Amino acid sequence: MKKTDNNAMNKVVEINDVSFAYNNKPLISNITFNIYKGDYLGIIGANGSGKSTLVKLMLRILSPTGGEIRMFGVNINNFKGWSKVGYISQKATSFNLGFPASVEEVVGANLFSRIGLFKSMKKEHRDLVYSALEKVGMQDKGKEMIGSLSGGQQQRVFIARVLVSDPELLILDEPTAGIDIKSEEAVYCLLSDLNEELGLTVVMVSHDIGAMTIHASRFVCLGENGFFEHTPDDKISSELLTEIYGHGVLLHKDCVNCCRHGEL
Amino acid sequence: MLNIFHYDFMLRALLVGTLIAIITPRIGVIVVLKRLSMIGDSLSHTSLAGVAAGLVLGINPVLGAVFLTIIAAFGIERIRRAFPRYSEIAIAVIMSTGIGLAGILSGFVRNSASFNSFLFGSIVAISDFELYMIISLCALVLITVIVLYKELFYITFDEESARLAGIPVNSINIVFTLLTAITISVSSRIVGTLVISSMLVLPVASAMQLSKNYKQTGFLAIIFALFFTLSGLFISFYLNLKPGGTIIIVGVVTLVLLMIIKIRPAAAVPSIKQE
C-alpha cells in the first residue's frame, strides 16, 4: 500500500463543503475531503448513498448545488486539464459484445487528439497502445476482437485505454461489476500495482468493503448516517460500518492468493 | 448479345451506383453498430412524404425530400432521448409519420408515375442535376467520415467515455444525423425508397461476417456494396429485371452464403473434439 503524501501542494482533488440534491431531495450534504497525489482512495457506501454521484461531481458530469470542487488546484468550472483524468464507468463492460473492434483500436481511441485530424495511427501511437497494454498484461491480445475476451480481460483493456493518454488521476466507478471473483481480485491488484509503481492516484467506488480495506490507502464512506473519512491509521470495524450503513455489515479482511504479481 | 457499355444511361447508372455504393456503407457501418439499422427505412419513408410534398407544392421533389428527412432525423434523436434504451420507438414513430404523410400527400399528386419512380428509384434514368448532386454528396460524406473517423469510432463504441475524453459528442452527432438524412433522401431518389435501407445494412452485415476489426469492417462493407450494386446492374440489364430489387437480392444471397460458410466450421468443431 503506497503511503500518501498529505502535503497541501500535492492536493489532486479538493472537495470543499460540497452538497448535491436530485429534484430538491438532498443526496450529498456538506462533504469536505481532499485527495492527495499517490492516494488509493476507496469510496464505499450502501446503494443509493451517492457514491456514483460524488464521482460524477468530480468529473463535472453533474454540478454541485453547494460548495466548491478544485481539480489540481483549479476550480472545476475553469479546469481544462481533463487529459490528466482517466475515468472508467460502471457501464464500460456493458458494451455491445458483437462490436467489430480490435483491442488495439479500442485502446487507441483515447489517442484521437494526439493523432490529429486527417491522420491515422502511426508506429509511435501503436507503441503507446502496446505500452499501455503491457502495463495491464494484455500486450499479446492487441489484434483480438474486444468481444472475444472475458469480462476481466475487457476491464483491463478499458484500464489500458485510460492509461494510454498518461493520466495522473484514475477514477473508477465499480469497475468490477459483473465480472467473476478471480478477475475482480486481479483488477484490484492491477490498480494497486499502478498506484505503487507508477504513482498513479486512484479513486475507486466499490461496494466491496473487504477488498477496499485490503487495497485502498484511505476511504471515504457515504451512508444513511452521514459521511466519514478514514486514513490508514483508522481501523475499519464492523461496528463502524454498521453505524455508517445503518444495518449490520460483515467485514471480511482475508485475501487468499492476493496480488501475486504476474498472475493477473 | 447487347453490350451494357454501349448505352449512355447504363454508364451513368454504373457511375452513380458506384458512388452510392461507396457512401452508403460508410453511413451504414455507424448506423448498424449504433443498433439503428431500421433508421434507413424510417427516413426513406419520410423522404417519400417530402417527395410527395414537393410534387404537390411544385418545388423540386428531391429538395422536399432532403428538407423533410432532416427534420425527421432530428425528430428520431429527440424521441430517442425521451425514451432511453428504446430506440425502436423513435424509429417506429417517425416511420409511421412518414408513411401517413406520404399516403395523404400522394393523393394530391397528379402524375402518379413520377411518384412511383421515387418508390422504386430510377437508377437508369438519372438527370444531370441528380448526377451532380450525388457527386457532391459523395465528396461531402467521404470528407466528413475521413476527418471524423476516430471520433465517430469512439462515439459509436462508447459515447460516454468519448464525451469524457473531450470529443464534442453532441456536435458530431448533429453532423452525422444531417449526413444520414441527406444521404438517404438523395440516394432513395436514385435506388428507390424501398432499396436504400438494404443498401445501408446488407453490406455492413456481410462485412461483419468476415472482419476482425472496425477498419476492416468499413473497408469490406464498401467492397460488398460495390459488388452488390455492379453485379445487380449487370444481371438486371441482361435478364431484364428491375435493378433495385436485383441489387438487394444479390446482397441477401451473399449474406446468407457468408452466414452458412461461417456456421459450418463452427459446427464442425464439436465433431472433431468427439473424435
Side-chain angles (χ1 to χ4, degrees):
Chain A
M1 197 181 288
K2 191 180 172 73
K3 194 78 179 164
T4 304
D5 180 1
N6 286 18
N7 189 313
M9 293 294 286
N10 286 325
K11 283 178 188 167
V12 175
V13 185
E14 295 161 70
I15 310 277
N16 297 324
D17 201 24
V18 166
S19 299
F20 182 79
Y22 270 118
N23 301 325
N24 296 325
K25 199 177 159 194
L27 183 64
I28 290 174
S29 301
N30 308 101
I31 287 180
T32 298
F33 69 96
N34 295 323
I35 301 169
Y36 298 95
K37 193 171 170 29
D39 260 351
Y40 187 151
L41 182 87
I43 301 176
I44 57 174
N47 284 342
S49 59
K51 303 188 296 288
S52 295
T53 303
L54 185 57
V55 161
K56 284 177 182 160
L57 289 169
M58 282 187 226
L59 294 164
R60 217 183 156 218
I61 297 171
L62 296 173
S63 296
T65 44
E68 185 200 36
I69 299 174
R70 297 178 78 83
M71 302 290 284
F72 296 91
V74 181
N75 183 300
I76 198 164
N77 296 320
N78 307 320
F79 182 63
K80 302 272 184 250
W82 288 106
S83 59
K84 292 183 194 170
V85 183
Y87 170 60
I88 297 171
S89 76
Q90 250 172 357
K91 288 188 233 157
T93 47
S94 62
F95 68 98
N96 165 17
L97 282 171
F99 196 102
S102 66
V103 167
E104 193 180 294
E105 286 177 321
V106 171
V107 177
N110 244 11
L111 288 174
F112 72 95
S113 58
R114 224 182 272 197
I115 297 171
L117 285 175
F118 291 107
K119 291 173 192 153
S120 54
M121 210 189 261
K122 294 199 179 77
K123 191 186 172 293
E124 61 188 276
H125 304 119
R126 211 160 279 123
D127 289 346
L128 288 172
V129 167
Y130 278 91
S131 153
L133 284 171
E134 201 173 346
K135 285 175 191 160
V136 299
M138 295 288 286
Q139 64 277 18
D140 54 338
K141 304 279 186 194
K143 298 287 178 203
E144 290 194 23
M145 281 173 89
I146 183 79
S148 68
L149 304 179
S150 70
Q153 289 175 323
Q154 284 167 4
Q155 197 55 280
R156 278 191 274 160
V157 170
F158 292 121
I159 294 172
R161 183 176 70 179
V162 172
L163 293 178
V164 78
S165 53
D166 210 12
E168 292 176 34
L169 168 66
L170 187 55
I171 300 177
L172 306 101
D173 187 359
E174 305 243 14
T176 56
I179 62 177
D180 62 75
I181 295 170
K182 198 179 165 199
S183 307
E184 196 174 356
E185 193 55 42
V187 169
Y188 284 129
C189 294
L190 168 65
L191 292 167
S192 290
D193 284 352
L194 294 171
N195 174 248
E196 286 171 24
E197 289 164 22
L198 304 179
L200 196 65
T201 307
V202 177
V203 174
M204 168 150 21
V205 169
S206 179
H207 61 278
D208 190 341
I209 306 158
M212 283 288 93
T213 53
I214 294 159
H215 298 286
S217 57
R218 290 173 61 226
F219 306 92
V220 293
C221 315
L222 298 166
E224 282 182 13
N225 300 323
F227 166 78
F228 300 83
E229 186 187 350
H230 296 270
T231 64
D233 303 325
D234 296 327
K235 281 236 170 201
I236 284 210
S237 63
S238 293
E239 292 74 29
L240 183 69
L241 290 169
T242 305
E243 191 189 337
I244 297 164
Y245 280 73
H247 57 81
V249 175
L250 203 58
L251 182 61
H252 293 284
K253 278 198 174 181
D254 296 330
C255 180
V256 183
N257 294 331
C258 190
C259 295
R260 285 185 184 169
H261 297 277
E263 281 188 20
L264 292 175
Chain B
M1 193 176 173
L2 293 170
N3 186 337
I4 192 169
F5 299 109
H6 284 170
Y7 296 89
D8 189 44
F9 70 91
M10 278 313 294
L11 288 175
R12 220 167 240 241
L14 289 169
L15 171 65
V16 170
T18 302
L19 294 175
I20 290 179
I22 292 170
I23 56 171
T24 43
R26 284 312 318 170
I27 299 288
V29 76
I30 292 161
V31 162
V32 169
L33 294 177
K34 276 188 165 184
R35 298 189 157 182
L36 295 170
S37 291
M38 293 303 287
I39 206 168
D41 254 335
S42 180
L43 292 182
S44 60
H45 281 92
T46 316
S47 83
L48 202 59
V51 165
L55 290 170
V56 171
L57 298 171
I59 58 169
N60 187 314
V62 178
L63 293 181
V66 170
F67 180 71
L68 212 60
T69 313
I70 289 173
I71 293 174
F74 284 106
I76 289 177
E77 282 300 306
R78 180 69 195 81
I79 299 171
R80 272 183 69 201
R81 280 204 292 276
F83 294 93
R85 291 176 179 265
Y86 290 97
S87 299
E88 62 275 17
I89 290 183
I91 289 169
V93 168
I94 295 295
M95 181 141 81
S96 314
T97 313
I99 292 171
L101 271 178
I104 292 171
L105 292 170
S106 64
F108 297 98
V109 176
R110 287 187 191 143
N111 182 0
S112 61
S114 165
F115 186 70
N116 284 344
S117 79
F118 282 90
L119 205 56
F120 297 101
S122 51
I123 197 165
V124 290
I126 310 285
S127 70
D128 282 346
F129 173 69
E130 285 157 355
L131 180 66
Y132 298 138
M133 200 162 56
I134 203 81
I135 290 171
S136 316
L137 175 70
C138 189
L140 180 71
V141 171
L142 284 182
I143 290 170
T144 313
V145 294
I146 290 170
V147 171
L148 298 177
Y149 177 85
K150 298 182 290 295
E151 287 78 2
L152 282 169
F153 166 72
Y154 207 166
I155 293 172
T156 310
F157 182 69
D158 183 352
E159 193 168 307
E160 190 183 40
S161 298
R163 186 173 277 119
L164 286 165
I167 291 178
V169 172
N170 291 343
S171 310
I172 291 176
N173 275 342
I174 288 173
V175 170
F176 183 73
T177 305
L178 269 173
L179 220 55
T180 309
I182 298 171
T183 303
I184 289 174
S185 48
V186 173
S187 308
S188 60
R189 167 70 185 113
I190 316 293
V191 290
T193 306
L194 304 175
V195 178
I196 185 64
S197 151
S198 331
M199 285 297 289
L200 284 174
V201 177
L202 285 173
V204 181
S206 304
M208 283 171 73
Q209 296 298 311
L210 300 177
S211 64
K212 295 259 181 273
N213 55 48
Y214 178 77
K215 196 175 183 178
Q216 214 175 57
T217 308
F219 177 72
L220 284 175
I222 293 178
I223 301 289
F224 277 118
L226 284 170
F227 169 67
F228 301 163
T229 308
L230 299 179
S231 57
L233 282 173
F234 272 87
I235 294 167
S236 66
F237 180 78
Y238 288 110
L239 300 182
N240 200 19
L241 303 170
K242 293 264 187 198
T246 314
I247 292 169
I248 296 179
I249 297 303
V250 172
V252 173
V253 170
T254 310
L255 177 62
V256 170
L257 286 175
L258 285 169
M259 287 164 71
I260 292 169
I261 293 166
K262 204 178 172 187
I263 290 165
R264 277 183 66 186
V269 174
S271 62
I272 292 168
K273 276 184 180 169
Q274 279 166 12
E275 283 166 18

